[in-house]
Amino acid sequence: MATPYLSRITFNSVMVPVYAPAPIVPVRGQGSRVWDSDGRDYIDFTSGIAVTALGHSHPELVATLAQQAGQLWHASNVFTNLPILRLATRLTEATFADCAFFANSGAEANEAALKLARRVAFDRFGASAKKEKIVAFQQSFHGRTLFTVSVGGQQKYSDGFGPLPEGIAHVPFNDVEAARQLIDDGTCAVIVEPVQGEGGVIPASRDFLRALREACTQHEALLIFDEVQTGIGRTGTLFSYMGTGVTPDILTSAKALGNGLPIATMLTTREIASHFSAGTHGSTYGGNPLAAAVADKVVELVNTHSVLEGVRDRSKHVLASLRSINSRIGLFRELRAAGLLVGAELSESFAGKARQIMDVALDHGVMLLNAGPNVVRFAPALNIPYECLDEGFARLERALETQLPTLSTESASLAMPR
Ligand SMILES: *Cc1c(COP(=O)(O)O)cnc(C)c1O
């Protein structure tokens, strides 16, 4: 491992311990390569959890940011601003939506969507109808606010934070019958990730999404697609819904929208949006000119045939590389891909070792993610050069070859003390 370092000691003494950061500190990035504070280089297969979709220090984004930085950073939502109007126009022209709300994080975009869905049902049916149930799915992830951890389907994230918001029900993901049974006239919204990201890179089946759409229409509930992770080209279309044949009523997106500058959006129709009015919801930073200018450029650059086609081609290349590695080192029992969101589920003998595999890969110069204890996740930049992909997989294979024996047995010695 790199220097056993001052940064760990500093982290432990000055940071609230909600993260267990890796033992290196990235200080610079260029495209799909990152350098740490010791000058070592890494191939980035993470994009900062599907955020830096156009790579690090993209020249056009740097220029856009610098230009806006010299012009206007912030003026509050007491005023509108030109970059946000451009971005909203671009997003609505490209999607089913008529209008957009902006926030700073995925959780906040989902919070807005869930609040809006409750308000729509309240306005349409009255308080006495109690049309307030939110249907969500097991293993789903929707953010860390109290509402969104409660809606998310992983209890560990809401344990100990009660009392929690009420009126939320969970069913197994991709279970058409269970969902049909739970969605009824008392339901105001169904929220679903077209591909569960944090839950293990699990794509929703078309039949499942279609059934949710039908049930929502039948029971006058709103269908919310959480595209915080899948949006902005990640799965090979600008938004993942575009490849499913199912259109939601509300869509949220965040991670890649600002390529690292914090910005999120909630997209919806004019009619649904009209249930919010001035003062019912808002955000100080939401849609500030600095983030909006960058996001507008990100969407312009991503929403092109060449980038989106490039995602689909790279996806095949990633899968082929992983299959080839797996043919020599039987590590994975299943590979799942939605564009450049790829999950490799570990075989039985490596169960629970995703985090250790990340550590081993990092030590050999490649940055990976996990999605739960059993899935190694790959989310490289949408424009990652093929040479970088190949170099990253070569490094990964070397890492696995040398460390596999330690991984398959008890491997506590490999894990960094955290
Ligand atoms: C990351 C993520 C969120 C939360 O986004 P934050 O910006 O961390 O609040 C919500 N939903 C999905 C599907 C995500 O992947």
Side-chain angles (χ1 to χ4, degrees), residues 127-211:
S128 61
K130 290 213 165 298
K131 192 175 173 65
E132 57 200 21
K133 181 163 70 180
I134 291 163
V135 172
F137 299 96
Q138 288 168 12
Q139 298 311 311
S140 64
F141 184 77
H142 299 298
R144 304 291 198 141
T145 64
L146 197 58
F147 201 174
T148 55
V149 281
S150 306
V151 170
Q154 303 185 48
Q155 223 185 320
K156 64 178 183 209
Y157 293 134
S158 58
D159 278 347
F161 297 122
L164 302 176
E166 288 174 10
I168 300 159
H170 295 97
V171 272
F173 188 64
N174 272 336
D175 185 334
V176 171
E177 269 325 301
R180 275 209 188 108
Q181 281 193 3
L182 204 66
I183 300 166
D184 58 18
D185 287 343
T187 304
C188 69
V190 175
I191 182 166
V192 65
E193 296 161 87
V195 182
Q196 284 195 337
E198 305 305 306
V201 189
I202 304 170
S205 74
R206 259 163 201 262
D207 285 349
F208 180 63
L209 293 178
R210 223 174 277 143

Side-chain angles (χ1 to χ4, degrees), residues 57-407:
S57 304
H58 189 288
E60 283 185 74
L61 299 180
V62 171
T64 301
L65 178 62
Q67 210 250 336
Q68 187 60 42
Q71 211 163 330
L72 182 71
W73 289 29
H74 185 85
S76 89
N77 285 307
V78 171
F79 308 93
T80 190
N81 66 75
L82 295 178
I84 205 64
L85 296 175
R86 276 195 288 271
L87 174 61
T89 304
R90 191 183 294 285
L91 287 170
T92 53
E93 281 176 0
T95 64
F96 74 95
D98 305 314
C99 48
F101 170 78
F102 294 94
N104 316 289
S105 66
E108 285 172 283
N110 286 332
E111 186 88 14
L114 296 165
K115 281 178 70 180
L116 178 57
R118 284 258 173 95
R119 180 57 72 101
V120 168
F122 177 89
D123 286 350
R124 286 181 183 165
F125 299 90
S128 61
K130 290 213 165 298
K131 192 175 173 65
E132 57 200 21
K133 181 163 70 180
I134 291 163
V135 172
F137 299 96
Q138 288 168 12
Q139 298 311 311
S140 64
F141 184 77
H142 299 298
R144 304 291 198 141
T145 64
L146 197 58
F147 201 174
T148 55
V149 281
S150 306
V151 170
Q154 303 185 48
Q155 223 185 320
K156 64 178 183 209
Y157 293 134
S158 58
D159 278 347
F161 297 122
L164 302 176
E166 288 174 10
I168 300 159
H170 295 97
V171 272
F173 188 64
N174 272 336
D175 185 334
V176 171
E177 269 325 301
R180 275 209 188 108
Q181 281 193 3
L182 204 66
I183 300 166
D184 58 18
D185 287 343
T187 304
C188 69
V190 175
I191 182 166
V192 65
E193 296 161 87
V195 182
Q196 284 195 337
E198 305 305 306
V201 189
I202 304 170
S205 74
R206 259 163 201 262
D207 285 349
F208 180 63
L209 293 178
R210 223 174 277 143
L212 296 182
R213 178 67 278 175
E214 275 167 24
C216 283
T217 304
Q218 184 188 344
H219 296 286
E220 297 181 79
L222 300 183
L223 181 59
I224 303 170
F225 273 13
D226 178 347
E227 295 225 29
V228 169
Q229 187 155 166
T230 55
I232 320 299
R234 177 57 52 190
T235 67
T237 47
L238 181 62
F239 291 103
S240 190
Y241 85 87
M242 294 169 173
T244 67
V246 173
T247 303
D249 300 299
I250 301 178
L251 180 152
T252 57
S253 200
K255 287 188 164 83
L257 182 56
N259 207 72
L261 230 66
I263 183 167
T265 190
M266 176 191 73
L267 302 173
T268 191
T269 65
R270 169 64 48 205
E271 197 286 316
I272 292 169
S274 72
H275 293 271
F276 269 171
S277 57
T280 48
H281 194 65
S283 163
T284 296
Y285 280 133
N288 109 348
L290 205 56
V294 173
D296 185 50
K297 181 56 80 176
V298 169
V299 180
E300 179 193 330
L301 293 173
V302 168
N303 196 20
T304 59
H305 181 73
S306 67
V307 170
L308 297 174
E309 180 81 21
V311 170
R312 300 191 285 266
D313 287 344
R314 283 167 178 78
S315 177
K316 289 179 206 142
H317 193 77
V318 167
L319 280 177
S321 306
L322 284 171
R323 268 191 221 109
S324 153
I325 289 177
N326 210 34
S327 69
R328 291 183 293 277
I329 308 169
L331 185 62
F332 307 121
R333 63 193 285 261
E334 186 178 52
L335 301 173
R336 297 187 285 266
L340 280 176
L341 185 55
V342 178
E345 180 150 349
L346 296 170
S347 58
E348 204 91 329
S349 40
F350 299 96
K353 296 287 164 68
R355 185 80 205 213
Q356 281 95 318
I357 288 167
M358 280 168 66
D359 290 340
V360 159
L362 192 69
D363 202 27
H364 286 74
V366 51
M367 298 165 111
L368 301 179
L369 294 168
N370 66 328
N374 297 324
V375 176
V376 180
R377 178 171 34 160
F378 301 79
L382 309 184
N383 60 358
I384 185 171
Y386 284 91
E387 312 85 77
C388 268
L389 277 179
D390 290 341
E391 187 174 347
F393 283 117
R395 290 181 184 191
L396 177 61
E397 181 156 7
R398 227 171 299 132
L400 293 172
E401 267 168 9
T402 41
Q403 301 294 343
L404 211 62
T406 16
L407 283 168

